[in-house]
Amino acid sequence: MRLFVAAIAVTAAVLLSACGTMPYTPSEYPLRDGLISSFPAKGQTSVVNAQPSNSPVIVYSYGGSKLSSDLRSITDVMVQQTTKELTKAAQPAAGKAKTVELKVNSLVSKYAVFHWNSTLSFEAKLGNGEVITKTVPHTSGVLLQDLNGCIAESVMMLLNDAKLRAYLAE
């Protein structure tokens, strides 16, 4: 009987070792050329991280496995990629300096049959006071690509937004 209980305890320990929260470190998922068309941008544009929270958040949870990150780190990646893509797409001209304050409010991926669906909610406060709020969906067959791709797709949606483009052209 003792051997049976010990075997059950060892089996449970092995099975549960796969459970738990693992860190998710967001990284840039490159956008292919042409997804963001060129546009006029007058003045230097500064994209900044406006997310103050670095508290842990769960970005994925399924079957005992979890991925955790923080919204400030996720926003950092979005800021870096937005700045990079803005440099590629903007047609610079002289003008007044502009600011875009980005703040990711959530990033969550959920497993569906053989793929993952993620959504990223963010707001971008423009220097003229306008706020752009978007929730962007993304789907992929690979979990990390789903999360990082959702950040990239959010950058694309922001830089193709008519309000942002009008502001940058002022």
Side-chain angles (χ1 to χ4, degrees), residues 17-28:
S17 68
C19 298
T21 303
M22 302 292 293
Y24 159 65
T25 303
S27 62
E28 179 183 333

Side-chain angles (χ1 to χ4, degrees), residues 112-150:
V113 180
F114 302 116
H115 68 280
W116 287 264
N117 297 315
S118 61
T119 56
L120 186 145
S121 295
F122 73 91
E123 52 190 68
K125 183 177 179 186
L126 309 181
N128 64 5
E130 279 194 82
V131 177
I132 298 168
T133 303
K134 290 192 181 293
T135 299
V136 180
H138 186 77
T139 298
S140 177
V142 178
L143 176 57
L144 292 179
Q145 191 283 327
D146 185 50
L147 291 163
N148 293 328
C150 197

Side-chain angles (χ1 to χ4, degrees), residues 13 20-21 32 43 45 51 59 67 69 78 84 103 107 117 135 158 170:
T21 303
R32 70 179 185 277
T45 303
Q51 176 54 265
V59 296
L67 291 178
S69 189
M78 188 171 175
K84 180 179 173 183
K103 182 177 176 184
L107 172 61
N117 297 315
T135 299
L158 174 63
E170 293 176 347

Side-chain angles (χ1 to χ4, degrees), residues 69-161:
S69 189
D70 66 89
L71 296 175
R72 183 153 181 84
S73 295
I74 296 166
T75 303
D76 274 340
V77 171
M78 188 171 175
V79 165
Q80 292 164 12
Q81 190 164 11
T82 300
T83 301
K84 180 179 173 183
E85 295 296 332
L86 183 58
T87 301
K88 289 178 4 186
Q91 298 169 330
K96 188 177 84 171
K98 311 281 189 321
T99 59
V100 178
E101 297 177 8
L102 278 179
K103 182 177 176 184
V104 172
N105 294 316
S106 69
L107 172 61
V108 176
S109 182
K110 295 186 179 190
Y111 181 73
V113 180
F114 302 116
H115 68 280
W116 287 264
N117 297 315
S118 61
T119 56
L120 186 145
S121 295
F122 73 91
E123 52 190 68
K125 183 177 179 186
L126 309 181
N128 64 5
E130 279 194 82
V131 177
I132 298 168
T133 303
K134 290 192 181 293
T135 299
V136 180
H138 186 77
T139 298
S140 177
V142 178
L143 176 57
L144 292 179
Q145 191 283 327
D146 185 50
L147 291 163
N148 293 328
C150 197
I151 297 169
E153 195 158 340
S154 297
V155 168
M156 182 181 72
M157 295 298 286
L158 174 63
L159 292 178
N160 284 319
D161 184 85

Side-chain angles (χ1 to χ4, degrees), residues 11-20 64:
T11 302
V14 169
L15 290 175
L16 291 176
S17 68
C19 298

